[in-house]
Structure formats: structure tokens, C-alpha cells
């Protein structure tokens, strides 16, 4: 059977191939991968590293005094004019066998410290939420580039032909954080707006229960489409459209099963904190991430927000931490118990961190009620599984937790490292657009080899 | 800690000269450079910041910020500053500071006069050969054909599409709408293609279709930047201007001139002022706290837009270095940057770090002034009424407070709480009323900044690292002859417009006619419609491109004439094929929605006006003046009529998904408003199928369509196929449809819905 004959004779025809070709890998990995899939837990708002991950005795000592940082950031200070040092709002202690120093606001994380690699020298280039967040997701903020998940989908293709290869769970409003920009649209993230508490609410927009009358309608349409095609020659676009209806129909049948968390054991639900407060919402999202990942979705992005503490960080941060701590730690434990952690990379990070000095937008609050301003210069993130060293701390900041003194990991470096773990040389995973080859890391990025097991 | 070092050095490092110095370099310095610096600063690896350390000449010449060191003077040497980590903007190596001993070695080396015996490394630099690149076809003068040549002389005869296909094709291409049954019947009675095309060109729908193509190139949205949903409340004036311009067939050179320099033209019309919105509307990062950076980023965006929309070049690539493929130098870029740098388009609002884009007040006619006065009177009356109600509610609250000791304490407390809440709500209403009070018309537009000046190169785009000053100017590669001179006291925008529309410019008209061709054939003569540079596609028919470009100019830059000529050609009328010249393609989001509304009879006319429904208080937040953040909009509520208006009139949001009736845009490949898009990608992905199968638009309109069919089954079927597929139904189709109706519940709505999802409806053949 020659190729042409094959194309004519298969039921799905050329369009089926075209669609699958779009989702299929753009290129095989460049070398043996350590990770096969990624779960990115995005802590929107900017968690405060000074109160969670990066203990600086100097801040406690100078609490309330003008901060001794030599060169303050450019820009207009809003509510930070006095640059008063704000001591950590929680206690720190060494945890796990590795003795990683973490604050007591994340008791569940303590259980998995030996599985995580803590990065203390993260860096992005912009202090505004949307731009830093855009850079974290896409590498750029001056123009529109494909998101990390889109690149991974582009590079690795799909493992499950009934599901998209990139799913974003409860993303923020900016569509570009899960967009495919100039990559084929098949690689853009499919959104699950919120994880439904019951099965009646569709998880994916416009996804309804398939019905018999819908099937009849589709059969009529497909007959008409076949006749139209017979009148002309092969047409990849028209066949692609036809094929997308069939895939959509299958998704309607498959997705509800996946999203149905009631199929999980009580022990698993409890591990994540499903059905309990304040964890329920985050727990559902994290558990669904595991289910999707398990089912072959290459890149699952989960956004947990509430970390933007400009005021009363002492009162507010513990609440956000309590919502997210257990579900995130449970995800790592659960993946490990299922033998999935070895080849699943988990990333936990905000778009930036927060300043060692306090912020008070009211201008009148006592320092105990102050918050912290955004800090892109240095912040903390952690990775787990997927070939990174557990129990390792990488990077160190100055005595104020402001500038990194060693082990700086710029977001481009993190992107390079993520691709490396997936088996890609970040300089060679490229896409030609507008006359030049683009890549996730633009012209930057170094693989952080020190953290790879 | 550092005190022991000089002692150690005194022992370890003898003052070295000549051979000793070289030996010191080879023993101590070179290994250090190889291990800690070569990764980013050598020819074998990377050359970051333009700096290399693998040869003496490398550090002597230095990088973007000048020589890396001054021999003998560590204190004046950039390398010592960088390795000492004393400047947060200049810290090398960036990952990990050198040890104190290593720092001491390099410091001593510089102090010794930086002995370095190494020979030069032959650079394998990736630079464009300007002389060769200038021979590229797009930089050659446009060749005017010797005799009048018709479009069809460039094509061999191909089978023609039938009349119905042609009618549907030309209707969608020119107006974005399908032909109505009436129009089809009229054409059958009077089969004059000329008259049919002229009617389409004269319809308002023509401008509504072609304006949207232009808005894709401009990055149009009803939002300023992407942070906090700040409304671009006057952007719609630019959109309406573009619709007017296309419908009036404004000569394209004038269209360019108004958008680049409308504020500098002497005219009493508001249109040229509105037109400069071209330079303002974009993804401006208004929350950027580094205002120097904001300024250069805005200029960069303006250069990118002008480059892409008019020239088909990626000029923005030359911001940090000479263009890698095209003969565009970094100096060319900063010549243009001086022009836009001498133009105001952003300002600091005084609310925290927030900037905004500039506004221009528009001239009014007497009638408009009178209308404004009338609306202001009405508004003031409303405000007075609300103020009165507030006073009443407050008074009631006070009175109730006096009776809190009475017996019915609970009931009185509740009444007081109600009165207080009413007063607060009314106060919010008052704030909102003040926000939407009638004002003289304004548009987002630019003006000269009062101190026009040349600008300095920003090294790697960093506004705090400045290089040479560059005189204002244009892009020499795309121009033959003497470019217009820029007077010292002007920004140069007027001259830029002149340069763009000059017959000596090799790109503007080629790019413009190619864009029109692409919209009418599905593919450009130059397939990369936004990029005519060396890495772009070459024209499939260069003579045709030049013929169209020169005729465009000789016919007075009339887009309508060019479009008319093309759609009346035999090439345009040929049956569509995947290998051209006439392609078939799926309708875009606007055409699908507008066609569905047309077919169901629901489409409502619109004269333009504000897209954002800010008159609804639920769409406006952050009105409290104490708020650090600017006033923000949402699209949580639409005007009822917006559900029935053409898609171009719906609000475009930058930062989030499009909502309400506009949600179809995101599903079907709408141009991302942060990009400047000459040709949208066409994808076929499952979310589109889900939208068509289950989305509210088709469900609602299918029911309306079914209810609007009359007569017996056969008559209804004939109407249905004529309305949706714009052709008569065949006998076989009628039998098939009758079978479908016979055993389907809710049969007619289901049949209508099915037809709206079939390829023949969704494609333009």
C-alpha cells in the first residue's frame, strides 16, 4: 500500500494525520530524559521567602530599622519610602534528614524536605505581577512567546490521544500564560477553570454530556463534509475540522471520568485535604493534576493564588500557607507512592518573592501590620522528582535576602534546566517564526547542573 | 578576612614584567579565565555583551560597555568592578562570585599592566553582509510594467468556480458577511459581477470587514497595557476612524500620513488626530516602575509596528545589535528611535507607579457642542437627584440613631443599617456618575514633546547603559535617493510619513498590495506577508507584485480600485485549490459569528461608539480616589444589543479571555492583541468543535433560524440551504434532510444547528 492509497483508505484520512501530526512530537528528545512530564504549581502573587524559606537572622535583629541594603531598586517606592526592615513573621528550624531550614508555616512540607530541591537564588527581571508572571511562564515579557507548557507539548507531543497534552488548572486571567503564541495552536493549554465539586458542572468550557441527538446531527454533518470533500481534492484544513469534531466527541466521554475525584480512595482524599477547609479548593486542583499527569498529560499547570501580601503579612500569610501547604506536599508524596515521582518533575514557585523591607500602603499602620513589596531580584522556589536532587539547597542570598551571592538561577536557567530534564537541549528546541528561530530561553539560559541527580 | 591577602600576594606574586608577566598570566590568570569566564565570553562558547576574554584584543576592544579593563588601573577597570560585586547591575560571574583569592589574582594582573601574550582569535561572527543583503529583491526599486498588463495575463486559465461559489466568496471577502437570499436572487436576475462588486464596495459592511484586518496589524484593544484592566476608553474612536477610512476609500498614503503624523497636519477634521492612536494603542506596560525603560519600550513598540505594518521588516531586531539577516543597522534603529523619542505617548499619572497613554482633545462642531451641553445638563440633574437622596438617607440614619434607646431597638437598628447602606451605595453611584460624566471628545493620540532631539543607543536595550548618539533618520536599505531632511525643531514624524509614501521607498506599496492580495486569495504573492526580509519568502510572481504596486500608486493609492480589479479577474474567480492561485480557507472568528447572525436574521446594524459598557457600574471598579491602582473595567455585563452587533464592535481585552458574545474570538484564532498580525493562523482543534457543538451562539441562533423558515417542508428546506449555504438545495440533500427531520426530536432546530457546523458553511470556498 503506497502512502497516497493509505491516506485515501483510512477512515480518518489526511486530516486525522494532520491533527495527530500537530500533536505528535516536533522532534525526538535530544538525549535520554530524566523526566517525562511536568506539574507546575504556580503560587500567584509572590510568596514571601523571608517568612517561608530563607531565614536571615539579620532581619530579625534589625526589625523596624532602616534596611542596610546598599543599592535599593530603581523605580517609585509605593508605601516603602522608609525601607524599614521587617523581621520574619514565623519561626524557622532545620527539617528532615537534610536539615533544610524552613519556617513552621509549612508543616506538611517538612515531611518531604528530603525529596525537594530548594532554590534560594531565583531571579526574574520585572517587579510587576503580570509581567513577572508572563516571564515565568514564557521567558519573555516584552513580546508574546509560547508558554513553557506549549514548548513541552511541542517538543514531546502527547501520550494520550483523547486528551490535550497541556492543561492549565484554574489559571489567572492572562491567557498568554498558557498560550502557544506562534507555535501551532494544538499546543496551547486547555483550561480547567475550576475543579468542579460535582459531576454536573463541566470542567472544560463547552464540554457537555454527549447525547444521541448530537450524534445524529454529527453523522449528518460528517456525511455532508465527506460529499464536499469528494467534490474537491484533499484538504487538510477541512479534514482537520471534521476530525476535531470526533476528538471533541470522545473528549466529552473521557474527561468527566478523569475529573471525577470520587474515584479516589478516602486515604488519598484525606492526604490532599479534599473536603476539608481551608485546603479543599487547592487539594482538588493538586489531586486532579496528578490524575491528568497519570493519564498522560505532559504538562499540567496549577495556579494557587493569594500570596500577594502587601499588608498585614503576619496575619495573612499563614492563612494562604495553610491552604496550599498540605495539597502541594501531598502531591509529591502521592506521586512518590505511585512510583511516578522519578519521572515527573514538580515545580513550586511564585512569579517573584518579597522584599526584606516592609510596605504599608495606608501610611499609618504600625509595623506589625505591614506587608512586603514585590522582589524579582531574588526569591525561592522548589523542585521535586524528575531527576533533581532531593534534600538539596542551592543558592544563597546576602544577609538581607536581597541579592543572590551564589547559585543564582534566573528564570531562563530554570527553563533550560526543565527542558534538559525532559531530554532537550534548550538551544536546539526551536521554532522558526518571522524569519528567525525562537526558543523558550531566547538567547539566554544555562542548565543548573548542580541540582541534577 | 581580606587582610592576609596582600601578604600572601607579596610572596606568591612577584612583580612581573616581560616573560615573568606572561608566565604569571599563563599560570594564574588564563586558567581562571578559561574556567570562570570563557563559558560566556569566548568565541568557542558564547559572546555575551559582545565581550570576549580569549584574546588580548577581545578585552582591549571590550564589549558593549567599552574596554573590559584599563591596564595598570584596577580601580578604573570594569572587570574588577564586576567581579567585586559592588554594583548590583554588574556582577560577574553572575552565578557565583569568585573567591577572594581569585579576585586578588585578577586585580593583581590588571595592576601589573595586564600582560597577555595570546594571539588574536579569528572571529566567526554572525553578521550580515550589508552590501550583499542590499541586493535582496525587496530593496530594489519597483519595476513599472512597460505596458498595461492585466492580472490574468500572469495566470494560465484554470477552471472557474460556479456563480454561487463566487457570490459567496466575494461577499465574505469584501464584507465578511454571506450574501442574502435577496442578493442571490437579484444576481440571478441581473448577473453583472461589476454591479454586484460595486454594491459590496459601497456598503458599510466593507469597512467593517477591512478595518478589522488593519486592527490586527495595530494590536488594537480596548485596554491599556495588560495590568489591572485599565480601560482604553477612547480606543473605539480609532476603530471607527479605520472603518470610515476604508469606506471613504481614503488614499492609502494619506491613511499612513494621518496615523504617523496626523497631529502635525493642518486640518479641522478630528480624524487625523484620532489616527495617531496607531502609535499609542499597543501593549504598553503602564505599571513599569522604571520609567526610562517604559519610554524606550514604548518607542520600541512603535518602531516594531511601523516596521511590520508598512515595511514588512523586523526593525525591532536592531534594538540591541545590527539586524542578523537584513541590512538594518543598530544606528538605523536609533535614528527612528530619536523620532519617536521626540514624541509624547505616555505620561505618569501620579497614582503610584502607574503611567497612562496620552489623550488628545478633539475639535467639535457647533452641533456637537450643543449636544454636549444638553447631556451635561441632564447629567447634572441626575447628580443633583442622587445627592439629594444621599442627604435624605443620611438624615434618616441620624434620626434613627436618636431613637436607638426605644423599645423596638432591633427593628430600628436594622432600619438604620438599611439607611446607611443606601447612603453608601448612592455615594458609590455618585462616584461612578462622576466617572462617566459627559466630557468633550478625546482620543488616544500623540503629540510632539517640545524638545525634539536625537537619541543615544541603549546598550542591549538597557536605558541605563547609553552608547553613541545617532542622528534621527530612516532605514536607508528600503529607499533609493535622497531621504527627506528632518528639521532640528521637529520630531521627524512628518518626514517619516513622507519617506514611507515616497515613490523611492521600495517596500510600502509592495507590502500593502500583497496584504490585499492575501486577503482575497488566502495566500500572499509574498507568502510571509509581514516579513519581506532576507529570511522571508520570495514573491511567487515578482512582476505581478510590482505591477500591482505601481498601479496602486498611479490609481491614487485607492484600495477599493485595487480590490475591485482583483475580484473581477478570472484568477480570483477560479475554483479553489490547495495549490492555488485561489485557496479555500476556514472563516475567521468574526466572519463565523457575523454570518451566523446574518443567517438567523438577528444581525443588528451599528454605527460604532464605545465598545466597553462603562455606563454599567458593575463594569467599573477602583473608583475610590484613595486607591493606588487606576480605575479598572470588566466585561461582566454587555449591552443587550451587543449580542446582535458585528464582532468588530465588541470590546477587545488584552489581559484575559474575551467574554460574552466576544468569546468566539479566542476559540477561532483571533489575533492576540499584543502581537501585530498580518495573517492569522488557521487551526482546527477540538475546543472549536466543542464551541460549535455546545456553545450558546449556535444554539440560540439555530432556534431563531428554525423559527424563521416558512411554508411546507420542501419550501423551508430550500430557504434554509439558500440562507446558510447560499445555493439551491439538491434533490438528494432534500431527501436526506427530510429523513433527518422525520425521526429527530426538535427536528428543525437540530437541522439548522447541524448546517451551521458543516464545513460548507464554515469555509470560504
Amino acid at each position: 500500500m503506497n502512502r497516497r492509497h493509505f491516506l485515501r483508505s483510512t477512515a480518518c484520512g489526511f486530516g486525522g494525520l494532520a491533527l495527530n501530526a500537530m500533536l505528535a512530537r516536533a522532534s525526538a528528545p535530544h538525549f535520554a530524559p530524566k523526566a517525562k512530564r511536568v506539574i507546575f504549581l504556580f503560587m500567584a502573587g509572590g510568596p514571601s521567602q523571608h517568612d517561608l524559606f530563607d531565614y536571615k537572622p539579620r532581619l530579625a535583629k534589625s526589625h523596624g530599622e532602616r534596611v542596610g541594603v546598599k543599592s535599593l531598586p530603581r523605580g517609585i517606592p509605593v508605601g516603602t519610602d522608609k525601607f524599614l526592615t521587617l523581621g520574619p513573621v514565623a519561626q524557622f528550624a532545620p527539617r528532615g534528614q537534610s536539615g533544610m531550614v524552613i519556617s513552621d508555616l509549612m508543616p506538611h512540607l517538612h515531611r518531604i524536605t528530603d525529596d525537594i530541591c530548594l532554590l534560594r537564588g531565583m531571579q526574574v527581571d520585572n517587579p510587576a505581577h503580570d509581567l513577572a508572571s508572563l516571564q515565568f511562564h514564557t521567558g519573555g515579557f516584552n513580546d508574546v512567546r509560547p508558554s513553557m507548557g506549549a514548548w513541552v507539548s511541542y517538543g514531546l507531543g502527547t501520550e494520550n490521544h483523547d486528551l490535550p497534552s497541556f492543561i492549565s488548572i484554574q489559571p489567572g486571567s492572562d491567557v498568554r500564560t498558557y498560550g502557544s503564541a506562534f507555535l501551532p495552536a494544538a499546543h496551547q493549554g486547555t483550561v480547567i477553570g475550576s475543579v468542579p465539586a460535582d459531576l454536573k458542572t463541566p470542567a472544560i468550557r463547552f464540554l457537555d454530556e454527549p447525547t444521541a441527538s448530537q450524534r445524529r446531527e454529527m453523522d449528518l454533518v460528517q456525511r455532508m463534509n465527506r460529499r464536499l470533500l469528494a467534490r474537491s481534492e484533499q484538504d487538510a484544513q477541512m479534514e482537520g475540522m471534521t476530525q476535531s469534531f470526533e476528538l471533541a466527541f470522545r473528549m466529552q466521554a473521557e474527561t468527566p471520568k478523569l475529573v471525577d475525584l470520587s474515584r479516589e480512595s478516602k486515604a488519598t482524599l484525606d492526604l490532599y485535604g479534599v473536603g476539608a477547609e481551608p485546603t479543599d479548593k487547592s487539594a482538588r486542583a493538586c489531586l486532579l493534576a496528578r490524575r491528568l499527569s497519570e493519564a498522560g498529560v505532559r504538562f499540567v499547570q496549577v495556579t494557587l493564588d493569594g500570596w500577594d501580601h502587601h499588608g498585614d503579612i503576619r496575619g495573612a500569610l499563614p492563612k494562604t500557607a495553610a491552604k496550599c501547604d498540605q495539597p502541594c506536599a501531598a502531591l509529591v508524596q502521592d506521586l512518590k507512592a505511585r512510583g511516578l515521582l522519578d519521572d515527573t518533575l514538580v515545580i513550586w514557585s511564585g512569579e517573584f518573592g518579597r522584599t526584606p523591607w516592609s510596605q504599608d500602603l495606608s501610611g499609618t499602620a504600625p509595623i506589625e501590620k505591614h506587608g512586603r513589596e514585590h522582589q524579582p531580584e531574588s526569591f525561592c522556589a522548589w523542585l521535586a522528582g524528575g531527576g533533581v536532587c532531593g534534600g538539596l539547597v542551592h543558592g544563597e542570598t546576602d544577609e538581607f535576602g536581597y541579592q543572590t551571592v551564589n547559585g543564582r538561577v534566573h528564570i531562563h536557567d530554570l527553563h533550560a534546566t526543565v527542558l534538559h530534564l525532559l531530554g532537550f537541549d534548550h538551544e536546539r528546541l526551536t521554532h522558526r517564526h518571522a524569519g528567525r528561530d525562537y526558543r523558550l530561553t531566547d538567547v539566554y539560559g544555562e542548565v543548573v547542573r548542580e541540582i541534577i541527580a | 578576612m581580606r587582610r592576609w591577602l596582600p601578604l600572601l600576594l607579596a610572596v606568591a606574586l612577584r612583580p612581573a614584567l616581560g616573560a615573568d608577566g606572561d608566565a604569571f598570566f599563563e599560570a594564574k590568570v588564563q586558567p581562571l579565565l578559561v574556567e570562570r569566564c570563557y563559558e560566556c565570553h569566548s568565541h568557542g562558547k558564547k559572546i555575551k555583551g559582545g565581550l570576549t576574554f580569549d584574546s588580548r584584543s577581545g578585552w582591549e576592544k571590550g564589549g558593549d560597555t567599552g574596554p573590559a579593563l584599563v591596564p595598570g588601573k584596577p580601580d578604573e577597570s570594569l572587570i574588577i568592578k564586576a567581579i567585586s560585586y559592588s554594583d548590583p547591575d554588574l556582577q560577574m560571574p553572575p552565578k557565583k562570585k569568585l573567591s577572594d583569592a581569585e579576585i586578588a589574582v585578577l586585580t593583581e594582573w590588571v595592576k601589573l599592566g595586564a600582560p597577555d601574550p595570546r594571539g588574536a582569535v579569528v572571529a566567526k561572527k554572525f553578521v550580515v553582509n550589508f552590501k550583499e543583503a542590499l541586493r535582496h529583491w525587496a530593496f530594489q526599486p519597483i519595476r513599472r510594467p512597460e505596458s498595461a498588463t492585466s492580472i490574468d495575463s500572469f495566470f494560465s486559465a484554470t477552471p472557474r468556480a460556479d456563480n454561487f461559489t463566487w457570490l459567496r466568496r466575494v461577499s465574505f471577502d469584501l464584507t465578511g458577511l454571506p450574501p442574502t437570499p435577496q442578493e442571490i436572487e437579484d444576481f440571478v436576475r441581473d448577473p453583472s459581477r461589476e454591479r454586484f462588486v460595486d454594491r459590496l464596495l459601497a456598503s458599510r459592511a466593507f469597512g467593517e470587514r477591512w478595518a478589522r484586518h488593519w486592527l490586527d496589524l495595530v494590536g488594537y484593544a480596548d485596554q491599556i497595557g495588560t495590568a489591572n484592566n485599565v480601560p482604553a476608553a477612547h480606543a473605539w474612536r480609532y476603530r471607527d476612524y479605520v472603518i470610515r477610512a476604508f469606506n471613504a476609500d481614503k488614499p492609502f498614503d494619506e491613511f499612513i500620513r494621518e496615523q504617523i503624523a496626523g497631529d502635525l497636519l493642518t486640518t479641522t477634521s478630528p480624524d487625523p488626530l484620532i489616527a495617531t492612536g496607531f502609535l499609542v494603542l499597543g501593549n504598553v506596560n503602564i505599571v513599569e516602575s522604571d520609567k526610562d525603560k517604559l519610554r524606550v519600550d514604548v518607542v520600541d513598540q512603535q518602531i516594531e509596528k511601523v516596521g511590520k505594518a508598512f515595511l514588512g521588516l523586523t526593525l525591532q531586531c536592531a534594538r540591541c545589535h545590527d539586524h542578523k539577516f537584513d541590512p538594518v543597522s543598530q544606528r538605523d534603529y536609533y535614528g527612528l528611535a530619536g523620532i519617536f523619542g521626540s514624541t509624547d505617548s505616555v505620561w505618569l499619572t501620579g497614582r503610584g507607579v502607574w503611567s497612562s497613554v496620552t489623550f488628545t482633545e478633539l475639535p467639535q462642531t457647533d452641533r456637537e457642542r450643543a449636544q454636549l451641553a444638553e447631556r451635561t445638563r441632564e447629567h447634572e440633574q441626575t447628580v443633583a437627584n442622587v445627592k439629594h437622596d444621599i442627604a435624605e438617607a443620611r438624615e434618616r440614619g441620624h434620626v434613627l440613631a436618636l431613637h436607638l434607646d426605644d423599645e423596638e431597638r432591633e427593628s430600628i437598628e436594622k432600619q438604620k443599617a438599611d439607611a446607611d447602606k443606601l447612603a453608601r451605595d448612592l455615594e458609590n453611584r455618585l462616584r461612578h456618575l462622576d466617572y462617566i460624566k459627559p466630557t468633550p471628545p478625546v482620543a488616544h493620540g500623540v503629540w510632539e514633546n517640545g524638545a525634539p532631539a536625537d537619541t543615544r543607543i541603549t546598550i542591549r536595550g538597557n536605558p541605563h547603559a547609553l552608547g553613541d548618539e545617532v542622528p534621527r533618520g530612516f532605514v536607508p536599505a528600503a529607499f533609493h535617493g535622497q531621504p527627506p531632511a528632518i528639521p532640528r525643531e521637529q520630531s521627524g514624524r512628518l518626514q517619516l510619513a513622507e519617506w514611507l509614501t515616497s515613490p523611492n521607498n521600495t517596500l510600502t506599496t509592495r507590502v500593502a498590495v500583497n496584504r490585499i492580495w492575501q486577503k482575497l486569495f488566502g495566500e500572499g504573492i509574498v507568502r510571509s506577508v509581514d516579513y519581506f526580509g532576507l529570511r522571508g519568502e520570495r514573491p511567487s510572481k515578482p512582476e505581478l507584485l510590482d505591477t500591482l504596486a505601481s498601479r496602486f500608486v498611479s490609481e491614487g493609492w485607492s484600495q477599493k480600485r485595487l480590490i475591485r480589479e482583483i475580484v473581477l479577474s478570472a484568477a480570483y474567480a477560479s475554483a479553489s485549490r490547495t495549490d492555488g492561485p485561489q485557496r479555500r480557507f476556514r472563516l475567521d472568528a468574526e466572519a463565523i459569528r457575523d454570518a451566523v447572525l446574518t443567517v438567523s436574521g438577528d444581525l443588528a446594524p451599528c454605527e460604532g461608539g464605545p465598545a466597553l459598557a462603562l455606563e454599567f457600574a458593575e463594569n467599573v471598579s477602583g473608583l475610590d480616589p484613595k486607591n493606588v491602582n487606576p480605575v479598572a473595567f470588566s466585561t461582566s455585563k454587555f449591552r443587550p444589543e451587543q449580542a446582535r452587533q458585528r464582532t468588530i464592535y465588541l470590546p477587545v481585552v488584552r489581559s484575559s479571555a474575551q467574554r460574552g458574545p466576544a468569546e468566539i474570538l479566542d476559540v477561532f484564532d483571533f489575533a492576540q492583541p499584543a502581537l501585530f498580525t498580518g495573517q492569522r493562523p488557521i487551526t482546527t482543534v477540538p475546543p472549536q468543535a466543542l464551541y460549535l457543538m455546545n456553545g450558546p451562539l449556535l444554539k440560540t441562533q439555530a432556534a431563531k433560524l428554525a423559527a424563521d423558515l416558512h411554508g411546507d417542508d420542501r419550501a423551508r428546506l430550500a430557504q434554509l440551504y439558500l440562507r446558510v449555504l447560499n445555493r439551491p438545495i439538491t434533490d438528494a440533500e432534500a431527501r436526506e434532510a427530510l429523513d433527518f427531520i422525520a425521526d429527530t426530536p426538535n427536528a428543525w432546530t437540530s437541522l439548522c444547528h447541524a448546517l451551521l457546523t458543516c464545513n460548507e458553511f464554515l469555509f470560504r470556498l
Side-chain angles (χ1 to χ4, degrees), chain A residues 421-437:
Chain A
L421 292 169
L422 291 165
F424 290 103
D425 175 347
H426 69 101
E427 295 187 355
R428 288 196 284 146
L429 182 64
T430 60
H431 183 79
R432 178 66 59 90
H433 166 70
R436 64 164 274 206
D437 289 334

Side-chain angles (χ1 to χ4, degrees), chain B residues 689-706:
Chain B
L690 289 172
Y691 176 86
L692 295 171
M693 281 154 62
N694 303 321
L697 175 72
L698 261 60
K699 288 208 164 144
T700 317
Q701 300 305 321
K704 285 191 184 170
L705 173 57

Side-chain angles (χ1 to χ4, degrees), chain B residues 150-162 165-166 169-170 173 193 517 520-523 525 541 544 548 563-577 579-584 764-765:
Chain B
S150 76
I151 289 172
D152 288 324
S153 66
F154 291 92
F155 296 92
S156 49
T158 45
R160 268 165 66 117
D162 63 59
T165 304
W166 182 86
R169 178 189 295 168
V170 75
D173 286 353
R193 293 193 170 194
W517 187 273
L520 299 172
F521 284 87
E523 201 167 87
I525 300 169
K541 294 184 187 297
L544 173 61
L548 296 174
I563 291 169
R564 186 178 191 276
E565 189 192 344
I566 293 174
V567 298
L568 289 172
S569 70
Y572 178 82
S574 53
S576 58
R577 297 179 54 83
D579 53 359
Q582 186 56 271
R583 313 273 163 152
R584 63 182 82 96
R764 165 267 196 219
L765 301 176

Side-chain angles (χ1 to χ4, degrees), chain A residues 71 74 130-131 173-174 176 205-206 214 216-217 223 225 227 233 235 237-238 252 407-408 413 435, chain B residues 46 88-89 91 95 226 283 285 325 578 584 586 655-656 663 674 694 736 743-744 750 753 759:
Chain A
S71 150
R74 286 198 185 88
D130 61 332
L131 298 173
S173 65
D174 192 340
R176 296 171 299 171
R205 192 102 173 88
F206 307 124
Q214 187 173 58
R216 277 183 54 79
E217 235 182 70
R223 274 201 305 279
N225 288 349
R227 282 202 303 269
E233 8 106 78
D235 188 300
Q237 242 181 58
M238 284 207 265
Q252 295 199 124
R408 180 180 304 174
D413 304 326
Chain B
K46 290 177 189 152
D89 285 341
Q91 298 183 342
K95 295 284 146 52
T226 53
N283 230 16
N285 179 17
F325 329 122
T578 46
R584 63 182 82 96
R586 205 207 53 229
S655 60
S656 61
E663 71 184 339
N694 303 321
E736 181 186 40
D743 54 11
T744 304
S750 190
H753 193 267
N759 278 345

Side-chain angles (χ1 to χ4, degrees), chain A residues 247-274:
Chain A
L247 178 52
F249 200 77
R250 286 204 302 279
M251 272 173 70
Q252 295 199 124
E254 292 306 311
T255 314
K257 286 183 222 157
L258 259 176
V259 177
D260 180 8
L261 301 183
S262 67
R263 290 164 184 247
E264 294 286 334
S265 72
K266 168 120 188 3
T268 304
L269 296 174
D270 290 347
L271 177 70
Y272 283 82
V274 174

Side-chain angles (χ1 to χ4, degrees), chain B residues 502-513:
Chain B
S502 157
N504 294 331
N505 186 302
T506 68
L507 284 168
T508 310
T509 49
R510 280 176 174 145
V511 169
V513 300

